[in-house]
């Protein structure tokens, strides 16, 4: 039998309706979630924007008042304190959590014994909600039965650690607690970045006689620079949306010393019934997020296009 007599069976072409169905199934699966996301993000954002320009109080109304709610918001002393606290908290929280996270990542990157155990310990705070974290740390800061009472019971009767009881130090109690909560998250991202560095670069630096510290400063850390930016952006988002941590830890006090924008928005909308001004405050929070996320998104797009051009 010649090779020309051998025929390879060819599958019949798929029916047109099957092809169309195969194309439509992913769209049909994603359509509900995309529709809900569109409504949740864009429609509700536009509705909140309109409420911020209305005279809404206990219930939404649609009397247009322009920028009066924004003017009233920025004339309010408590809102200015809240925004000042946001910048103060964000600066210390981001720098502190990134510094501690990087230090922990470098230490674990030395291939220490029990690495999995250490990773679990450092990541544990991330698994705990901010409400639980705030509640536990409020006990620790409590001068009656917290750290202060424990140390004084050991004989140091002049020891003081009542951070949340003093309006001048309460914001630093929030910062310390936030750093404890998020350092493990920063460590995980930094460790992943350190482990992704090309070993040949490290070997080349070692052959050139570079010390460990110099290798990290001149070779490894510059290589993972995008990780630094990603961690900073994520931490800024956490800082801007801070609510439950403060609600559980200080409830915005003493007085209004630890009020944050999210706390003030909740108070305006659900405690005072000032929906219009609360919507204006929510839009200002959205603007703060946009200032961070929009440039970062544009940078990501530019970086990908640059990498695509360079092959």
């Amino acid at each position: 039998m010649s090779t020309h007599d051998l025929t390879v069976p060819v599958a019949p072409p798929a029916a047109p309706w099957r092809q169309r169905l195969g194309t439509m199934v992913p769209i049909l699966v994603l359509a509900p979630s995309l529709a809900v996301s569109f409504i949740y993000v864009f429609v509700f954002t536009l509705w909140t924007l309109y409420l911020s320009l209305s005279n809404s109080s206990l219930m939404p109304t649609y009397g247009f008042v322009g920028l009066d709610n924004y003017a009233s918001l920025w004339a309010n002393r408590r809102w200015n304190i809240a925004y000042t606290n946001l910048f103060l908290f964000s600066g210390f929280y981001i720098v502190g959590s990134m510094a501690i996270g990087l230090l922990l990542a470098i230490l674990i990157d030395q291939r220490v014994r029990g690495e999995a155990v250490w990773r679990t310990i450092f990541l544990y705070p991330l698994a705990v909600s901010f409400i639980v974290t705030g509640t536990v740390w409020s006990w620790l800061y409590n001068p009656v039965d917290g750290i202060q009472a424990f140390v004084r019971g050991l004989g140091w009767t002049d020891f003081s650690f009542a951070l949340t009881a003093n309006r001048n130090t309460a914001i630093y109690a929030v910062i310390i607690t936030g750093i404890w909560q998020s350092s493990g998250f920063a460590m995980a991202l930094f460790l992943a970045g350190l482990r992704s560095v090309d070993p040949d670069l490290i070997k080349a630096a070692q052959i050139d006689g570079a010390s460990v510290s110099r290798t990290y400063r001149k070779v490894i850390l510059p290589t993972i620079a995008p990780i630094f930016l990603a961690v900073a952006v994520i931490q800024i988002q956490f800082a801007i949306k801070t609510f439950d941590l403060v609600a559980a830890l200080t409830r915005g006090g003493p007085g209004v010393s630890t009020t944050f924008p999210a706390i003030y928005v909740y108070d305006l909308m659900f405690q005072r019934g000032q929906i219009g001004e609360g919507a204006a405050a929510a839009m200002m929070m959205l603007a703060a997020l946009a200032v961070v996320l929009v440039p970062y998104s544009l940078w990501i797009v530019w970086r990908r296009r640059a990498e695509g051009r360079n092959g």
Side-chain angles (χ1 to χ4, degrees):
M1 182 182 294
S2 65
T3 56
H4 296 287
D5 295 330
L6 297 176
T7 58
V8 178
V10 179
W17 65 270
R18 289 186 178 180
Q19 294 179 346
R20 288 196 296 270
L21 182 61
T23 305
M24 292 297 295
V25 165
I27 299 175
L28 294 174
V29 171
L30 293 175
S33 60
L34 291 176
V36 171
S37 298
F38 176 82
I39 294 172
Y40 181 77
V41 175
F42 294 102
V43 175
F44 285 169
T45 297
L46 292 175
W47 189 55
T48 303
L49 175 61
Y50 187 82
L51 288 178
S52 71
L53 303 174
S54 71
N55 58 355
S56 301
S57 55
L58 288 174
M59 295 294 291
T61 57
Y62 303 101
F64 185 76
V65 295
L67 299 177
D68 288 356
N69 287 322
Y70 292 91
S72 175
L73 181 68
W74 285 103
N76 189 297
R77 175 175 172 270
R78 188 181 176 193
W79 173 254
N80 285 278
I81 291 175
Y83 234 70
T84 302
N85 286 339
L86 175 61
F87 282 103
L88 181 64
F89 173 78
S90 298
F92 284 100
Y93 166 75
I94 294 166
V95 173
S97 61
M98 289 181 65
I100 295 176
L102 179 62
L103 176 61
L104 295 176
I106 291 175
L107 292 176
I108 293 180
D109 192 44
Q110 308 308 309
R111 310 291 179 178
V112 296
R113 288 185 178 180
E115 177 182 323
V117 176
W118 290 112
R119 282 205 311 265
T120 303
I121 292 173
F122 294 143
L123 279 173
Y124 173 75
L126 188 64
V128 180
S129 70
F130 277 115
I131 288 290
V132 174
T133 298
T135 301
V136 172
W137 279 81
S138 68
W139 299 338
L140 297 177
Y141 290 132
N142 192 320
V144 177
D145 50 13
I147 294 176
Q148 176 176 301
F150 174 75
V151 175
R152 287 186 177 184
L154 296 177
W156 287 279
T157 56
D158 295 330
F159 179 79
S160 178
F161 194 70
L163 296 181
T164 55
N166 187 329
R167 66 174 60 242
N168 295 320
T169 59
I171 185 64
Y172 298 104
V174 179
I175 292 170
I176 292 171
T177 307
I179 291 174
W180 178 86
Q181 173 85 14
S182 298
S183 294
F185 171 75
M187 177 214 70
L189 294 184
F190 283 133
L191 183 61
L194 293 175
R195 295 286 168 83
S196 67
V197 176
D198 188 352
D200 292 337
L201 294 176
I202 301 175
K203 290 180 181 179
Q206 293 172 344
I207 291 173
D208 290 339
S211 62
V212 174
S213 61
R214 186 176 178 82
T215 301
Y216 271 97
R217 285 187 292 108
K218 298 296 184 179
V219 178
I220 299 176
L221 296 185
T223 304
I224 64 171
I227 301 293
F228 281 86
L229 182 59
V231 173
V233 169
I234 295 172
Q235 300 289 55
I236 290 172
Q237 293 182 65
F238 288 159
I240 293 175
K241 296 183 291 185
T242 298
F243 174 82
D244 37 9
L245 176 63
V246 179
L249 183 60
T250 64
R251 295 175 178 81
V256 296
S257 59
T258 57
T259 297
F260 278 70
I263 294 286
Y264 192 51
V265 169
Y266 176 84
D267 185 48
L268 285 173
M269 286 190 164
F270 302 106
Q271 302 294 328
R272 302 185 185 184
Q274 298 175 339
I275 292 180
E277 191 170 335
M283 293 307 299
M284 295 308 304
M285 289 183 61
L286 178 62
L289 278 172
V291 168
V292 175
L293 294 180
V294 172
Y296 178 70
S297 300
L298 293 176
W299 179 80
I300 290 292
V301 172
W302 172 83
R303 186 164 172 263
R304 287 177 178 174
R305 289 182 178 179
E307 291 177 350
R309 287 194 300 267
N310 296 331

